[in-house]
Amino acid sequence: MTEDFHYAGERFADIQILRYRLNQFDLLTLRQKLYVYYLSEATLWGRDITFDQMGDNNLQVRQLLEVVYQFVKKSGLTDDENFHYLSTYLKRVWFSNGIHHHYGGEKFVPGFSPDYLRDIIKKLSPNDLPLKEGQTVEEMMADVFPVIFDPAIFPKRTNKADGADLVKTSAVNFYKNVSQQEVEDFYGALKDKCDEEPPSWGLNSRLVKEDGVLREEIWKIGGSYDKALRKIAYWLEKASEVAENDEQRSVIDLLLKFYSSGDLRDFDRYSIKWVGSHEGDIDFINGFIEVYDDPLALKATWEGLVEYKDWEATKRTRCISDHAQWFEDHSPVDPRFKKREVKGVVANVVNAAMLGGEEYPSTAIGINLPNADWIRARYGSKSVTIGNLTEAYNKAAHGNGFKEEFVADEDTLALIEKYGDLCDDLHTDLHECLGHGSGQLLPDTNPDALKSYGSTVEEARADLFGLYYIADPKLVELGLLPDEEAYKSQYYTYLMNGLMTQLTRIRPGNVIEEAHMRNRALIARWTLEHSDGAMHLEKKEGKTFLYIDDYACLRQAFATLLAEIQRIKSEGDYAIARHLVETYAVGVDPDLHNEILERYQRLDLAPYKGFLNPRFRLVCSPTGEVTDVVADYTETYEEQMMRYSKDYSIL
């Protein structure tokens, strides 16, 4: 791949679309490439599931807007300002898998009018519209228009406001006709009956109440999402035929069994087999896994990722995981909360080959799974840092003026330029490889005791683990950092982000909602208050800057907070978790916020990034035999989204 690869693609609203390249994909064998191809098809067929999970009307809204969009383009009526706003709205819906912002969760405000949309719809044949069975055009508009245009209907995708009924005030399609208390009572009763190997109750179902009776609609073949899951299963079966080894085939077989049964015990058996599967270059994530989108952190959003190892970069993560016991033993947390024996910590740097569901277009750069604490304790975990996505972020950000605007002085800027990318990668490694896998719950602690605060606390725990250890001389000894000054670049950029620059992602008047943003704010604000003057914010010529005077003192502050966060997690201390999050992680200083937004606006940058997938094409001989699989990067954002809606829409 030549250096003229174009990482940056289209930009709209607050979004910058990027491309990632498949480094060293050509070095894979044909069989491996076919394995990636089939797994990628299984990943793309989950898209409609994610849309539906993010809101009951999302699929119909998306399908309607796509029909209208294509009709207007074919009619040549694109000069109307309403079409410009409809186009942007549709692109945001594609990006967020629904009508709410992918990060903040607030509902999009359409710039086009209801009359404009109604007039276009009336020009269309009913046969071209996404009508539900027995639904008229007027009934469809009566259902869909309030969802799009009424700000009071489904205002938040996932509400986390303290004191609200989080279930009734969230738009996600995980519950129907039930209250938060009913959900907590329903799953609380199941958890009270469980043994020392508790399944993740509720992970793959929607809880509904009909005629006063609560029941689960299970997401499985033969149940909810049947059509999409059958497509996923078909391509997983094709992948199994060309898997690299029997171990991978066994993993796929167990996942297929889970998709057929819907039994969470089967999911646990699959997770145990998956976490123990290490042979081969290619791996994948496919299923109902992460619970960030559920206000009660019970229901999992469907996601997919296909990856292959970057063996050179993996030397870094393997070095960390090989010393996992040392890191656990030297952690500053109470010995009661440490693992006496760290098991099965495996970490790789990988290249993403295909993103899907919750992982597309916006995705994580590091993943640590499985989530069940008892599986982690007994069987270990797998961590990945996705190197080619980090590469794309860094390449696209080069020379954009962001650091020059917000970093306090030239010396600190030079430190970040020298060590920043290295330390960012290393902190991600520590977070994913060791942070999430460190520590243990006390035997009688309910894994869901922290409720809506659990995700924020868990992300803070992993980040603090990384912040504490990135300053440890052990990393220099292991050859992971060049000297004992490098860590300072990470301390500065992390705290600057948590205190100031992540506010570019918040709209004026809003609070912080997303778990990762809350985590960073909690750590940075708590440390500012408890580091004995080691850091401070200072305003110069109308601009606020972060100054750090004692990096060693900051490390001790991180150690103190890590010890407390681990205690909260291990003991299930809901009251203190709530206090920390509500005190440090939610509110926004409006004056500082306005200042940061004005400075950022002058840079003309998009605060959010997401990715286009490569398009795989099969190369065949004249006799029809597949001779190669190649990656095509030429697709535009609109082309990819419309193709996915045409080729992978089944619900």
Side-chain angles (χ1 to χ4, degrees), residues 7 26 62 142 201 238-239 250 266 289 293 347 360 396 411 552 554 562 566 579 621:
Y7 290 94
D26 289 343
R62 187 196 82 198
W201 295 113
K238 294 280 287 183
S250 295
D266 286 336
I289 300 169
D293 296 311
Y360 170 83
D411 288 344
L554 290 184
L562 173 57
Q566 182 64 63
H579 168 74
S621 70

Side-chain angles (χ1 to χ4, degrees), residues 537-551:
L537 295 176
E538 184 177 335
K539 207 162 191 175
K540 290 190 175 182
E541 299 180 356
K543 295 181 178 182
T544 303
F545 293 99
L546 168 66
Y547 291 89
I548 297 179
D549 302 308
D550 190 337
Y551 283 90

Side-chain angles (χ1 to χ4, degrees), residues 187-205:
Y187 289 111
L190 292 175
K191 292 172 185 175
D192 287 343
K193 300 176 184 178
C194 72
D195 54 27
E196 61 182 11
E197 298 181 355
S200 301
W201 295 113
L203 191 73
N204 65 326
S205 68

Side-chain angles (χ1 to χ4, degrees), residues 419-437:
Y419 300 116
D421 289 350
L422 172 62
C423 286
D424 282 346
D425 288 344
L426 190 55
H427 183 260
T428 300
D429 295 339
L430 290 165
H431 172 114
E432 300 293 350
C433 303
L434 301 182
H436 281 306

Side-chain angles (χ1 to χ4, degrees), residues 517-563:
M517 291 183 70
R518 284 187 168 189
N519 141 51
R520 292 188 287 267
L522 189 160
I523 292 172
R525 293 171 179 177
W526 185 94
T527 305
L528 179 65
E529 187 175 306
H530 294 87
S531 59
D532 298 323
M535 57 185 284
H536 67 280
L537 295 176
E538 184 177 335
K539 207 162 191 175
K540 290 190 175 182
E541 299 180 356
K543 295 181 178 182
T544 303
F545 293 99
L546 168 66
Y547 291 89
I548 297 179
D549 302 308
D550 190 337
Y551 283 90
C553 184
L554 290 184
R555 189 182 187 219
Q556 292 307 307
F558 292 145
T560 300
L561 184 56
L562 173 57

Side-chain angles (χ1 to χ4, degrees), residues 321-371:
S321 59
D322 287 348
H323 292 83
Q325 191 67 58
W326 184 93
F327 287 101
E328 183 78 0
D329 292 344
H330 290 80
S331 170
V333 307
D334 189 307
R336 293 180 301 148
F337 311 139
K338 295 182 183 181
K339 290 177 178 173
R340 289 189 177 89
E341 182 182 0
V342 178
K343 296 180 181 179
V345 176
V346 177
N348 296 302
V349 179
V350 301
N351 290 303
M354 190 61 63
L355 309 172
E358 188 184 28
E359 293 295 334
Y360 170 83
S362 177
T363 187
I365 57 172
I367 296 172
N368 179 277
L369 292 172
N371 288 325

